[in-house]
Amino acid sequence: MKTAYAAQATDDNPSPREKIMTKKLKKKLSSARQDQYALIKKQINAMGALHKNEGKQHIFSTQLTQLINTIPDAILFKNREGRKLITHQLTQSLFKQLDLDWYGKADITPSLAPKKIRTDSRMSLKAELRFALEKRQLTLYYQTQVNSTRQILGVEALLRWEHPQYGLIASDQFIPIVEQSDLILLIDTWVLQTACAQLKQWLSDPLKRDLLLSVNISPRQFCQPKFVEQLRRILEETGIDATRLRLELTESLMLHDIANTIKKIKALNLLGVRFSMDNFGTGYSSLSHLKKLPLDQLKIDQFLMRDIAIDGFDAIIVKTIIDMTRKLGIDVIAEGVESEQQFACLKQLGCSSYQGYLFGKPMPLNEFEKMLS
């Protein structure tokens, strides 16, 4: 998912001509880089004092360096306040990825702490993932989705890799590497089969049979010519109530080939499957597009949640989205809700469904079922 500040950095990429720098410019760039690191030195020191785990400190330091080095030179040559803003946002994002609280607290539960994958090559990782499928190292975690009274409406199934060396790895650390290969099709198929099998088990449980289960579908999988038939076959084999299954598609995927997207969604709608547009609010959808797409839900991107309680502009954007979806008869859910202030603000704006750490982190199946019971 691309954030606004990442998009800003991309738009300002220097031209090849600008990359030929004089000694003076190189000195200025070096100074700007030093400014970037100095701005977050206090956070690094604080983390070092809090955590004795050398491996986690190394991961943080490595990822932080990579993040800062991705900032284009054109951004670094801008005013110092601009550099502060970008560094602040990048560092905050990294803290969240590592389950570190920006203000000093941390969740360092070993079984849940994300690990940085380090492999010699992409081919090596792909080979390990094939082994992971065979050895059943892939698993689904579940994050609750609630209404305004915190009643659980459903869950989102989130892929995790229980790596024998690195521990629990979130999908955003390994899926991008295999998305350009056929391996992503095998993984997506496994996720769909596992999710539908889980819905089948829940049908006999009064506490779980009415839950909606959301599953992310990759562009590669959805664009397969036989995707509709594949999912139809899985639904028939598991015998589930397809209305309990919701597929989440990204905004960019839906708009890439809108005619074909509509055709596939309508075909699966006939089977009962529901659809949600993921990460809405950071792309380029227009009202005309939303009118055409047979959607059940829009998921407001978590980027808009970060400052919604203190930034009037973000609140206006979210309010506009909520009002628009209501008029179109589409449900709306806000993801990335992490504080009571955000929750209260969203309720005041008319949001009906919520997902985020405030209501529960992604958890293994046994923990989720224990929580419900």
Side-chain angles (χ1 to χ4, degrees), residues 31-286:
S31 176
R33 290 285 183 199
Q34 291 175 6
D35 285 346
Q36 295 296 97
Y37 287 100
L39 288 170
I40 48 171
K41 184 177 180 181
K42 187 176 297 184
Q43 279 79 14
I44 295 176
N45 291 339
M47 191 203 72
L50 282 169
H51 304 288
K52 302 298 183 182
N53 188 320
E54 293 182 2
K56 194 161 188 177
Q57 290 183 42
H58 174 75
I59 290 169
F60 180 86
S61 177
T62 301
Q63 290 188 351
L64 182 59
T65 301
Q66 292 173 347
L67 279 172
I68 292 177
N69 287 338
T70 61
I71 302 174
D73 296 348
I75 294 293
L76 292 176
F77 285 141
K78 289 186 176 181
N79 64 72
R80 181 173 298 228
E81 290 305 313
R83 296 201 299 271
K84 284 183 179 180
L85 175 63
I86 292 170
T87 304
H88 177 82
Q89 291 173 322
L90 285 173
T91 311
Q92 264 195 314
S93 174
L94 184 57
F95 263 67
K96 288 182 180 180
Q97 289 176 31
L98 294 176
D99 281 338
L100 299 173
D101 189 280
W102 183 246
Y103 298 102
K105 300 177 183 178
D107 176 4
I108 53 173
T109 307
S111 62
L112 296 180
K115 302 293 191 302
K116 175 67 175 178
I117 306 169
R118 290 185 292 179
T119 58
D120 294 333
S121 67
R122 287 173 177 263
M123 292 303 295
S124 174
L125 182 56
K126 290 176 185 177
E128 286 194 68
L129 278 167
R130 290 187 184 279
F131 181 79
L133 280 169
E134 295 173 3
K135 296 298 182 179
R136 298 185 180 182
Q137 293 173 358
L138 297 183
T139 186
L140 293 182
Y141 271 46
Y142 299 86
Q143 186 173 31
T144 58
Q145 298 174 335
V146 304
N147 62 15
S148 58
T149 62
R150 301 182 191 244
Q151 177 185 2
I152 297 176
L153 303 174
V155 290
E156 180 179 0
L158 299 166
L159 184 63
R160 296 291 185 266
W161 181 7
E162 295 179 334
H163 194 282
Q165 179 180 355
Y166 300 112
L168 193 69
I169 305 173
S171 60
D172 59 359
Q173 293 190 35
F174 63 88
I175 288 298
I177 299 176
V178 295
E179 278 187 328
Q180 302 305 316
S181 73
D182 289 341
L183 184 56
I184 188 64
L185 302 179
L186 296 175
I187 292 175
D188 273 358
T189 299
W190 178 86
V191 170
L192 275 174
Q193 291 173 334
T194 304
C196 290
Q198 190 57 62
L199 279 173
K200 176 65 174 178
Q201 291 185 22
W202 286 346
L203 278 176
S204 58
D205 189 330
L207 292 175
K208 308 180 188 74
R209 64 188 177 197
D210 293 328
L211 291 175
L212 281 169
L213 181 57
S214 296
V215 178
N216 291 280
I217 299 297
S218 73
R220 283 288 304 278
Q221 182 80 337
F222 186 77
C223 291
Q224 291 299 302
K226 296 184 178 180
F227 175 69
V228 173
E229 289 305 314
Q230 179 194 43
L231 184 52
R232 187 199 306 274
R233 185 167 58 253
I234 293 174
L235 293 173
E236 290 175 352
E237 290 173 354
T238 55
I240 66 168
D241 177 3
T243 62
R244 314 317 299 171
L245 178 66
R246 175 178 281 145
L247 302 185
E248 294 191 6
L249 305 177
T250 62
E251 188 175 354
S252 58
L253 167 61
M254 287 189 173
L255 301 181
H256 174 67
D257 183 356
I258 193 166
N260 190 47
T261 298
I262 292 172
K263 181 180 178 180
K264 286 187 176 181
I265 291 179
K266 285 185 174 180
L268 291 170
N269 279 163
L270 293 176
L271 302 178
V273 180
R274 307 183 186 192
F275 282 85
S276 174
M277 181 184 283
D278 197 11
N279 304 134
F280 185 80
T282 59
Y284 304 98
S285 288
S286 67

Side-chain angles (χ1 to χ4, degrees), residues 11 30 61 112 167 174 252 285 291 297 299-300 327:
D11 292 341
S30 176
S61 177
L112 296 180
F174 63 88
S252 58
S285 288
K291 287 171 63 177
Q297 183 188 75
K299 177 175 276 190
I300 304 176
K327 291 177 181 178

